[in-house]
Amino acid sequence: MSETNMGRVPVGDPIPLRFDPTTKQRLEELAAGIGPRRFGALVRVAARRLLSDPDRVPEALDQARRASADARRIPWAERPLDLDPATSTRLHQLAREFHTDRSAIVRVAVHRFLTGAGRFRHPVLREDARTDLTCRIRVYVNRSTLVRLEKLTARNGEALTPAAIRVAVRRLLDDPGDLTADLATIGAVRDLTPETLGPRTNVHFDDDLRDQLDAHAGRLDSDRAELMRLAARQLLANPRDLDQAVTEEIYRGDANRDLLLARNTRRQTAAANQATLPPAARRVPSPQGNPFGRRHVFRFDEDTKRRLEELADEYGPRRLSALLRVGIRRLIENPAADEALAQARRVASPPRTARVDVALDDELLAHIDALAERLGSNRQELVHLAATRILRFHHNIENRMLDEMFRAQNNRKHLLAKHARRERIRRRVRGSGT
């Protein structure tokens, strides 16, 4: 866009963003309710609203981080610990003095032991040989701490984890140090599971908006991805006046504003009229056949999508549609498809939040619709079943993959040559040299 062509907003270069699957799905549904291809504009509106009130961002970011940490906490690992009576009494008295529990003090002691162990092997061996350990208590520590402690003490033989914990406790009792600060910063730390984020989404940001976002992230010791996840959650929590805001984000110029708004009105009217029409009759397969057909959207769980992409990558780039078409054709040819569907329904499946676009020609659509009608199912369920079956039984499908990728006879030679070039490049990048 230039100064003489004030039409669509200059959206700039794309930046990669990752959202959790639930947030991404809600954003897509919200954008689809506004109009086609509105996801990028919706995300930019979320960014502008976040940056419009920068004073509230630090507190909101802290709350989001705490909520994320609370949701991803891993339970403590319970561990029996045998102590001699004197050590047990001193530990109990120290816990009462600092108004905490013994487990928190043990966690601080083990942390100090791991971060500044020094010479520990002989004290641990002497501790392991003691016979006066008559007081048993139960402490709660992080699982990662136990793993690190076991690796440290097992370098020269058997892991002596209980003895190492007792050595750490006695060292802390002899030199408590700044225990108040350590209890606040170390004793309360929990192991966290990684954040579950979906695949990368590219969203175009103009230079000014991107620079504002990066500058604000630098001031808060954050990054643009974390701020955009916060902006998305705030937008979903308060989706006020989104239609007008997204429209202004898309049509920020004045020269073509009336024309573009009129086109948007026509699209909405056409969509409303289409919704009131009776369902169209099933399409008859074209005698010529469309080699690839138009794309249809299906939903899979994240693990199934990842495994499909890994399997499709073995046959070359952009082979996911061909792999799923092979799976669909094999399902249609399977005489026991009803049994496979019944078995799949008995298995609890994870939420299907990952989107996959699959090109299906008219003939294949007619066959899968007929199978769905016969089995009392639908396209989504059958395509998901076909995907899970092709992941389990994908041996000797090379010829079927080639036939599926190069079904167009008029340009078969051209596609095969392009495929050969891609394979040569892929092998050269992988370092095979062939």
Side-chain angles (χ1 to χ4, degrees):
M1 178 173 127
S2 64
E3 294 180 357
T4 58
N5 181 19
M6 300 298 291
R8 295 181 66 84
V9 59
V11 291
D13 297 327
I15 63 173
L17 299 174
R18 298 179 66 196
F19 302 96
D20 62 273
T22 302
T23 300
K24 175 72 178 303
Q25 182 179 4
R26 292 178 62 192
L27 285 174
E28 289 178 341
E29 293 173 353
L30 193 59
I34 299 174
R37 297 186 298 278
R38 297 296 186 260
F39 184 83
L42 183 66
V43 172
R44 290 195 295 275
V45 168
R48 296 186 190 280
R49 290 187 175 181
L50 179 77
L51 296 173
S52 65
D53 192 2
D55 294 337
R56 298 180 58 187
V57 175
E59 181 181 358
L61 187 60
D62 289 341
Q63 292 178 355
R65 286 173 175 173
R66 288 196 298 268
S68 176
D70 291 341
R72 295 183 291 117
R73 280 182 176 177
I74 298 177
W76 300 117
E78 183 181 2
R79 183 87 185 193
L81 182 63
D82 294 326
L83 300 172
D84 62 278
T87 302
S88 177
T89 301
R90 291 173 61 194
L91 180 62
H92 180 68
Q93 292 174 348
L94 191 64
R96 292 186 60 183
E97 178 183 349
F98 284 88
H99 306 286
T100 184
D101 56 17
R102 292 173 293 187
S103 294
I105 295 178
V106 171
R107 289 194 291 271
V108 173
V110 174
H111 175 80
R112 292 182 181 180
F113 181 83
L114 288 171
T115 55
R119 297 178 62 86
F120 64 89
R121 180 159 179 77
H122 293 295
V124 169
L125 289 175
R126 288 194 298 269
E127 185 65 38
D128 186 60
R130 295 185 61 161
T131 59
D132 58 341
L133 307 174
T134 58
C135 297
R136 168 163 289 193
I137 64 173
R138 293 192 174 273
V139 295
Y140 299 89
V141 295
N142 285 315
R143 299 178 189 275
S144 62
T145 301
L146 293 176
V147 172
R148 292 172 59 197
L149 197 60
E150 182 177 351
K151 288 182 179 179
L152 180 67
T153 58
R155 288 186 300 180
N156 299 315
E158 182 183 1
L160 304 176
T161 304
I165 295 177
R166 289 196 295 271
V167 170
V169 170
R170 287 199 179 87
R171 288 182 177 180
L172 182 140
L173 292 175
D174 294 337
D175 183 16
D178 191 1
L179 189 55
T180 303
D182 285 349
L183 285 172
T185 58
I186 299 172
V189 172
R190 298 281 290 268
D191 284 341
L192 303 178
T193 57
E195 282 190 294
T196 303
L197 299 177
R200 184 182 69 182
T201 301
N202 289 330
V203 179
H204 292 265
F205 275 55
D206 58 79
D207 296 341
D208 181 59
L209 182 58
R210 184 181 65 248
D211 292 343
Q212 290 183 51
L213 195 63
D214 290 344
H216 204 55
R219 289 192 294 269
L220 298 175
D221 193 21
S222 179
D223 54 52
R224 63 170 68 140
E226 185 180 31
L227 287 188
M228 284 310 306
R229 287 192 284 272
L230 173 63
R233 287 191 290 267
Q234 289 184 345
L235 183 77
L236 292 172
N238 188 16
R240 65 183 190 281
D241 303 329
L242 277 185
D243 289 14
Q244 180 179 357
V246 171
T247 300
E248 291 177 353
E249 179 63 35
I250 296 174
Y251 310 128
R252 292 172 64 195
D254 295 329
N256 297 338
R257 184 181 182 89
D258 294 339
L259 176 64
L260 294 172
L261 287 176
R263 186 175 66 179
N264 186 49
T265 302
R266 291 196 301 271
R267 283 175 175 170
Q268 293 178 349
T269 304
N273 294 337
Q274 186 69 24
T276 59
L277 293 177
R282 183 180 299 164
R283 292 177 296 182
V284 179
S286 170
Q288 299 298 327
N290 186 347
F292 300 109
R294 66 185 183 87
R295 292 188 173 275
H296 298 262
V297 177
F298 298 97
R299 295 286 177 178
F300 298 88
D301 58 273
E302 295 288 345
D303 182 64
T304 300
K305 181 180 178 181
R306 177 185 57 78
R307 293 169 60 198
L308 285 171
E309 289 174 342
E310 292 175 354
L311 180 59
D313 187 60
E314 297 180 7
Y315 301 95
R318 297 186 296 277
R319 297 295 184 259
L320 185 57
S321 281
L323 178 66
L324 284 171
R325 288 196 297 270
V326 170
I328 293 171
R329 295 184 192 281
R330 292 179 65 175
L331 179 65
I332 292 172
E333 298 166 1
N334 182 16
D338 52 347
E339 298 178 4
L341 181 61
Q343 181 180 3
R345 286 173 172 172
R346 289 194 295 268
V347 178
S349 60
R352 301 171 186 174
T353 58
R355 165 178 171 164
V356 175
D357 295 346
V358 185
L360 300 177
D361 58 79
D362 297 347
E363 182 181 359
L364 190 57
L365 279 175
H367 285 303
I368 197 171
D369 286 344
L371 180 63
E373 184 176 355
R374 179 169 65 85
L375 301 180
S377 180
N378 52 55
R379 289 182 186 174
Q380 169 65 55
E381 189 176 33
L382 290 186
V383 172
H384 189 273
L385 175 61
T388 56
R389 288 181 60 82
I390 199 67
L391 288 173
R392 293 176 57 194
F393 312 108
H394 57 264
H395 303 292
N396 303 321
I397 63 171
E398 288 80 4
N399 291 335
R400 298 198 67 163
M401 284 291 295
L402 288 174
D403 291 340
E404 188 61 46
M405 289 187 287
F406 309 125
R407 291 177 61 206
Q409 298 298 326
N410 56 345
N411 60 353
R412 182 183 181 90
K413 183 177 180 181
H414 167 69
L415 291 173
L416 285 172
K418 183 166 67 173
H419 176 67
R421 289 195 301 272
R422 284 175 176 166
E423 287 299 305
R424 285 197 299 270
I425 295 173
R426 194 157 67 105
R427 294 191 185 102
R428 186 163 60 248
V429 170
R430 290 184 176 179
S432 62
T434 58

